[in-house]
Amino acid sequence: MTKPLTYPRPPVELPLRLDTDPPPQPGCDVCGALADERDEARAVGDMSKVSDVNVEIRLHPHAKRRVQA
């Protein structure tokens, strides 16, 4: 007798996307500095830092994103 499957189907394989760097907001000094930091991290192969900086750039608030209360 064969063993029954304990899972419904094979695991899903997601693609590894390396081209998802968010661009810095034009005229924003913070975004520009973060983009420089990201370039330096990529140059030394620190992809964890690259990912962290990408998150910071995406979450960095700009005037057009702020909600007026």
Side-chain angles (χ1 to χ4, degrees), residues 20-58:
T20 58
D21 288 346
Q25 183 75 20
C28 178
D29 293 337
V30 173
C31 284
L34 287 169
D36 292 342
E37 188 176 339
R38 176 180 61 201
D39 294 342
E40 291 170 9
R42 182 172 277 120
V44 297
D46 188 353
M47 297 308 288
S48 176
K49 179 75 172 191
V50 169
S51 177
D52 292 346
V53 172
N54 282 341
V55 170
E56 285 188 65
I57 291 173
R58 282 189 190 100

